Amino acid sequence: MAALVKCRALFQPLRSQMNVISGVCRSDSALHSFLTKRAPHCVRLYSSDVKSGDDLIVRYLDGDDSGIVVLGINRPQSKNAISKNLVTMMSEALESLKKDNKVRTVVLCSMVPGIFCAGADLKERAKMQQSEVGPFVTKARTLITDLGTLPMPMIAAIDGAALGGGLEMALACDIRVAASSAKMGLVETKLAIIPGAGGTQRLPRTVGVSVAKELIFAARVLSGDEAKSLGLVNHAVEQNKAGDAAYLRALDLAREFIPQGPIAIRMAKLAINQGIEVRLHVTYLAKNKVLFSCVIPTKDRLEGLQAFKEKRPPRYKGE
């Protein structure tokens, strides 16, 4: 949890009775104004360990939303571009989340209105020594892979532009929700390069090979509604005045996952992820292995059977 303590508390605009329970908030006046304007009744600012310039804000939700963790990218001056510091902070946060069995669902969103992530920070890249570029690219690719292999469900809330590496980050998530006004695309060919963090593999798996080729060849930018029609995002919602419609829809989805058996959800994600990577007969062998692990009489499984018998909601504890 040490890595998460370094991160910062995030607003939750939907439930005003809840308070920040993990981390501290930047003293930056702009962020303070943004948070208090968005959620004047639910933000508690802590003064200890205050640091400015935090690129990632992490919040553990509580109350009925206990088990949901929100990761907020916060680089307003750089349109949330992927920097060395952001990669480090996100990697540390994901490493901590992997080990926390109380985490049921993670929502990835932006703290910057109108932007999800603009891709790689090319200004920072231009200042790097040649010897630094290779290790940074490797770390960025590893981060995006880690997003996809996180044991629990990961939802990307796209309330603004998601371009290049920003869309690759969203593609690594299990589910994507976008505002209808959001813009997204793998636009690297405009710079005479190709998507370098899994986009050429994940986009075809999401929208089909032919459509993915068309989008990448043309460096096409889609609206949220267009992305929904192609299956690039699961849901497209009309943007609201606060600019967080996708985030609110993502929270609603996360709340649907919370009552379900946490071990079963993790095993289902594992089975699906492994299944799409191999041929069908190999998939059955892998699935049998996962299913066998699910029939072991865990406390959650026994609770689920007992709840079904008694016709009541199950009380899962992730055990």
Side-chain angles (χ1 to χ4, degrees), residues 165-177:
L167 181 55
E168 288 182 301
M169 193 179 290
L171 280 167
C173 296
D174 302 297
I175 296 169
R176 287 161 295 283
V177 181

Side-chain angles (χ1 to χ4, degrees), residues 15 18 26 47 115 152 175 218-219 245 249 261 264 266 275 314:
R15 296 191 174 229
M18 295 182 185
R26 282 178 55 187
S47 59
I115 293 290
M152 64 288 295
I175 296 169
R249 183 69 180 94
R266 290 182 180 220

Side-chain angles (χ1 to χ4, degrees), residues 11-15 38 107 109 157 159 177 237 239-240 242-255:
F11 67 92
Q12 183 196 14
L14 196 65
R15 296 191 174 229
R38 294 287 290 273
V107 177
C109 68
D159 274 305
V177 181
V237 293
Q239 188 57 282
N240 56 29
D244 60 359
Y247 169 68
L248 296 181
R249 183 69 180 94
L251 280 183
D252 287 341
L253 283 175
R255 291 177 184 128

Side-chain angles (χ1 to χ4, degrees), residues 24-78:
V24 294
C25 192
R26 282 178 55 187
S27 59
D28 182 272
S29 59
L31 179 58
H32 182 281
S33 175
F34 177 71
L35 286 170
T36 52
K37 181 179 179 181
R38 294 287 290 273
H41 303 297
C42 69
V43 176
R44 180 184 299 163
L45 303 178
Y46 292 83
S47 59
S48 61
D49 193 34
V50 171
K51 298 179 182 179
S52 61
D54 287 333
D55 292 348
L56 185 69
I57 295 174
V58 177
R59 182 180 175 199
Y60 282 70
L61 304 191
D62 60 357
D64 292 340
D65 289 342
S66 180
I68 301 174
V69 176
V70 183
L71 305 181
I73 305 174
N74 181 48
R75 301 195 71 222
Q77 296 84 358
S78 302

Side-chain angles (χ1 to χ4, degrees), residues 83-101:
S83 65
K84 290 191 292 185
N85 187 51
L86 179 61
V87 168
T88 298
M89 294 191 75
M90 289 190 70
S91 297
E92 291 176 352
L94 293 180
E95 190 61 32
S96 294
L97 291 173
K98 287 179 185 178
K99 303 171 184 177
D100 192 342
N101 290 330

Side-chain angles (χ1 to χ4, degrees), residues 117-130:
C117 175
D121 190 334
L122 298 181
K123 291 182 179 180
E124 182 184 74
R125 180 85 62 88
K127 297 177 182 178
M128 290 183 188
Q129 298 294 326
Q130 190 61 36

Side-chain angles (χ1 to χ4, degrees), residues 154-167:
M154 185 92 178
I155 306 172
I158 308 171
D159 274 305
L163 303 173
L167 181 55

